[in-house]
Amino acid sequence: DCPPEAGDFRAQQCSAHNDVKYQGQFYEWLPVSNDPDNPCSLKCQARGMALIVELAPKVLDGTRCYTESLDMCISGLCQIVGCDRQLGSTVKEDNCGVCNGDGSTCRLVRGQYKSQLSANKLDDTVVAIPYGSRQVRLVLKGPDHLYLETKTLQGLKSENSLSTTGSFLVENSSIDFQKFPDKEILRISGPLTADFTIKIRYAGAADSSVQFIFYQPIIHRWRETDFFPCSASCGGGYQLTSAECFDLRSSRVVADQYCHYYPENIKPKPKLQECNLDPCPASDGYKQIMPYDLYHPLPRWESTPWTACSSSCGGGIQSRSISCVEEDIQGHISPVEEWKCMYIPKMPVVQPCNIFDCPKWLAQEWSPCTVTCGQGLRYRVVLCLDHRGMHTGGCSPKTKPHIKEECIVSTPCYKPREKLPVEAKLPWYKQAQELEEGTAVSEEPSFIPEAWSTCSVTCGVGSQVRLVKCQVLLSFSQSVADLPIDECEGPKPVSQRACYSGPCSGEATEYTPEETEFLYGSLQEFDELYDWEYEGFTECSESCGGG
């Protein structure tokens, strides 16, 4: 790595021309990076002006082709460089930032926050994103405003109000923030150099929602110890390794339960090897056995797992039992008298749990009445929200607000006159073929339709369906992630359409103009009023995550 004070190599090459006249004048030159056509030419821009000039056909060897890439220019050509810093290597970092990694050192965190307006609350916490997290992306929709609180590993706290659009540094982490009238987007490629808490400041009467996605590092990992001293000084003995839970942030050993928290962490089994195999000197006549304490852990407290919490929310208690045990060299654990553990702090046997608030029902506003005259129905969405504002289960069905009620529109309805009985099949027109442009996944969330299914019938009129996903391209890892449907803006492409597979046997294919006139013309002779009839909603397009 270059030291932080080294500066930008391309910028140095531009500034070298500051004391050379260009068209009879001196300029202060700044680098123009990421030229898609020729990234290895030296293009510079005069400070404070729109003047952009190619000051050299080639940058110096070793200059990066693009700011966000390791690829470098050599002899004026862009050469690929892997994350292993090898020329010609295609090795890439995984989502966790590990070169050629398998993604096992971090986990994807995604979720949604919905604002809960109350008179005595001006702001709220959206999500806490820990030190070392990567590829952070938040989208706020609504009138409210995002801001940041940070806390370094040394305990220094600061706040950033995110008042304007732009790119800036917060605790040495580069942040890209975009502010729109009804939306805010926050991106941090990471890794974060502090703990970030994203907060929301309430600004309007309407509710806001924030969707977030990031990769969180697994900071507690098992680490294998060195071999303990040999069990015998000569004549052959054994020695074992053990595993300890290591905190990557503080670089110190912590209690095993921190590593058990991550199901991805599998504790390595102890290794056993023979040692001190030389025969004992004849003069001694015996083999010295090393004191037990030196080659194996001392007695320790062992606990049973915590019992289930006495309450699923609103505060409960859970308990466990502990006992003093010893482990022999073969790994067999046996209970011993408690006095042997008297110098080791005893673990708590009771602790509070599930101290967060219980889920509550939240009723959204009513829909318009389903009719434009007379008596109809109106509907509303009723959600069960947990203490984080996430959609969940667990609310009492007895206290659920009703989701449907009758409504009356003051406009009176008119009964339509009886229509003439017409017994005829309507003519089916040849279906217009829908020509779809292929849509490519981009770094902005976009709707990506899949191919249409085959027609549901082999003759006559049927239907075709297709899946429409909301997807985004994660630029650093060049992988595609599925997002909730409401993350994508603009009209969603249709997911169902009619299809015509030719006439069935015995079916008339065309109608004469006279027949068509009889079918349609006879209906137009009456000056009639029509009534809408409400038939309810279709099934939801998604089983979760917004449809």
Side-chain angles (χ1 to χ4, degrees):
D1 287 329
C2 296
E5 66 274 8
D8 177 57
F9 192 29
R10 194 180 284 265
Q12 290 171 16
Q13 294 169 61
C14 282
S15 62
H17 291 261
N18 289 355
D19 52 4
V20 178
K21 281 187 177 179
Y22 175 76
Q23 294 182 347
Q25 219 175 327
F26 289 110
Y27 294 96
E28 184 183 347
W29 297 105
L30 301 174
V32 176
S33 302
N34 304 322
D35 179 7
D37 299 323
N38 189 2
C40 291
S41 65
L42 183 65
K43 285 190 177 169
C44 308
Q45 182 171 4
R47 182 185 284 278
M49 302 175 70
L51 177 66
I52 296 177
V53 179
E54 184 181 288
L55 296 176
K58 299 177 189 176
V59 289
L60 295 179
D61 286 0
T63 307
R64 298 270 176 249
C65 307
Y66 307 100
T67 50
E68 295 297 317
S69 161
L70 290 171
D71 297 350
M72 62 168 56
C73 296
I74 299 174
S75 301
L77 295 174
C78 186
Q79 304 283 353
I80 193 168
V81 176
C83 61
D84 53 358
R85 312 281 173 98
Q86 297 296 309
L87 199 58
S89 163
T90 57
V91 173
K92 285 188 164 56
E93 285 185 352
D94 64 9
N95 289 319
C96 312
V98 178
C99 187
N100 210 17
D102 60 1
S104 64
T105 59
C106 65
R107 49 171 45 171
L108 178 65
V109 178
R110 61 191 301 174
Q112 180 166 302
Y113 164 92
K114 281 195 164 57
S115 61
Q116 300 288 296
L117 290 179
S118 64
N120 56 354
K121 230 174 157 185
L122 300 174
D123 54 18
D124 197 11
T125 297
V126 175
V127 62
I129 306 178
Y131 171 93
S133 296
R134 291 172 175 267
Q135 297 187 43
V136 180
R137 188 172 188 276
L138 290 97
V139 179
L140 175 142
K141 291 180 181 174
D144 298 330
H145 177 56
L146 294 175
Y147 69 100
L148 290 178
E149 284 183 358
T150 59
K151 183 181 178 185
T152 65
L153 295 186
Q154 292 75 37
L156 295 173
K157 293 183 179 179
S158 64
E159 188 177 299
N160 190 295
S161 62
L162 299 178
S163 51
T164 55
T165 292
S167 298
F168 38 90
L169 279 178
V170 175
E171 298 298 348
N172 285 331
S173 293
S174 178
I175 286 178
D176 181 42
F177 180 68
Q178 292 170 283
K179 193 176 172 75
F180 302 98
D182 58 344
K183 185 166 87 165
E184 294 184 356
I185 300 175
L186 177 66
R187 287 190 183 89
I188 315 172
S189 57
L192 299 189
T193 50
D195 288 331
F196 277 54
T197 304
I198 314 294
K199 295 200 158 188
I200 190 168
R201 188 168 283 129
Y202 297 139
D207 289 347
S208 292
S209 70
V210 183
Q211 289 176 332
F212 52 85
I213 181 169
F214 60 91
Y215 286 94
Q216 175 186 341
I218 296 172
I219 59 166
H220 296 110
R221 309 292 298 272
W222 290 112
R223 188 176 71 169
E224 202 167 52
T225 65
D226 293 331
F227 281 97
F228 287 105
C230 192
S231 61
S233 59
C234 61
Y238 297 95
Q239 56 188 161
L240 285 163
T241 63
S242 182
E244 55 197 11
C245 186
F246 190 68
D247 187 321
L248 299 178
R249 288 172 58 155
S250 61
S251 297
R252 57 194 179 90
V253 177
V254 294
D256 284 5
Q257 69 227 40
Y258 288 101
C259 285
H260 289 309
Y261 173 74
Y262 302 99
E264 301 93 330
N265 278 346
I266 297 167
K267 187 175 184 179
K269 288 188 163 51
K271 288 181 184 160
L272 177 76
Q273 71 177 17
E274 292 182 295
C275 51
N276 294 347
L277 299 176
D278 296 335
C280 295
S283 60
D284 282 7
Y286 69 95
K287 168 164 112 173
Q288 182 195 351
I289 303 295
M290 300 287 277
Y292 179 79
D293 294 3
L294 284 178
Y295 70 91
H296 214 272
L298 293 165
R300 66 172 191 272
W301 292 110
E302 181 96 333
S303 66
T304 61
W306 290 105
T307 60
C309 193
S310 61
S311 174
S312 61
C313 60
I317 56 166
Q318 55 186 167
S319 60
R320 63 180 175 184
S321 59
I322 61 170
S323 57
C324 186
V325 299
E326 277 181 350
E327 188 173 349
D328 65 19
I329 200 158
Q330 279 81 34
H332 299 134
I333 295 172
S334 51
V336 295
E337 300 91 334
E338 283 208 356
W339 63 264
K340 289 191 175 182
C341 291
M342 64 187 290
Y343 295 109
I344 307 161
K346 207 168 185 178
M347 299 181 288
V349 292
V350 178
Q351 70 175 12
C353 52
N354 297 346
I355 52 177
F356 47 83
D357 293 338
C358 291
K360 298 185 183 73
W361 291 113
L362 176 76
Q364 313 278 41
E365 69 274 9
W366 287 105
S367 72
C369 203
T370 55
V371 296
T372 52
C373 67
Q375 188 174 29
L377 294 169
R378 63 179 189 166
Y379 291 79
R380 65 179 174 183
V381 175
V382 175
L383 301 172
C384 180
L385 299 181
D386 66 11
H387 60 289
R388 297 163 300 179
M390 308 285 275
H391 189 58
T392 184
C395 295
S396 167
K398 293 176 185 168
T399 59
K400 183 177 182 180
H402 58 285
I403 60 169
K404 177 174 79 170
E405 69 176 20
E406 292 185 348
C407 51
I408 294 176
V409 178
S410 54
T411 312
C413 292
Y414 298 95
K415 186 173 179 2
R417 213 179 293 170
E418 290 297 313
K419 299 177 181 62
L420 286 178
V422 178
E423 295 289 334
K425 284 194 176 124
L426 292 177
W428 293 106
Y429 293 102
K430 181 163 168 53
Q431 182 190 329
Q433 293 300 310
E434 188 179 343
L435 296 174
E436 294 254 337
E437 294 289 329
T439 316
V441 186
S442 68
E443 291 183 24
E444 284 301 316
S446 50
F447 287 115
I448 306 296
E450 296 186 356
W452 288 105
S453 69
T454 54
C455 197
S456 60
V457 295
T458 53
C459 72
V461 175
S463 62
Q464 289 175 292
V465 293
R466 65 178 175 183
L467 207 55
V468 179
K469 293 181 175 177
C470 177
Q471 294 183 323
V472 68
L473 180 69
L474 300 176
S475 57
F476 206 72
S477 61
Q478 289 297 303
S479 60
V480 175
D482 291 342
L483 297 177
I485 286 295
D486 61 357
E487 181 83 4
C488 284
E489 292 190 342
K492 180 183 174 185
V494 294
S495 55
Q496 187 168 5
R497 69 179 183 188
C499 52
Y500 180 58
S501 309
C504 297
S505 56
E507 180 179 275
T509 54
E510 287 184 13
Y511 287 84
T512 64
E514 290 78 21
E515 288 172 319
T516 309
E517 176 62 30
F518 169 71
L519 287 175
Y520 293 121
S522 61
L523 297 179
Q524 291 164 2
E525 291 167 16
F526 299 90
D527 182 21
E528 291 180 326
L529 287 162
Y530 293 93
D531 230 0
W532 288 108
E533 185 179 347
Y534 182 69
E535 295 186 341
F537 285 101
T538 62
E539 283 189 15
C540 190
S541 61
E542 301 286 341
S543 60
C544 62

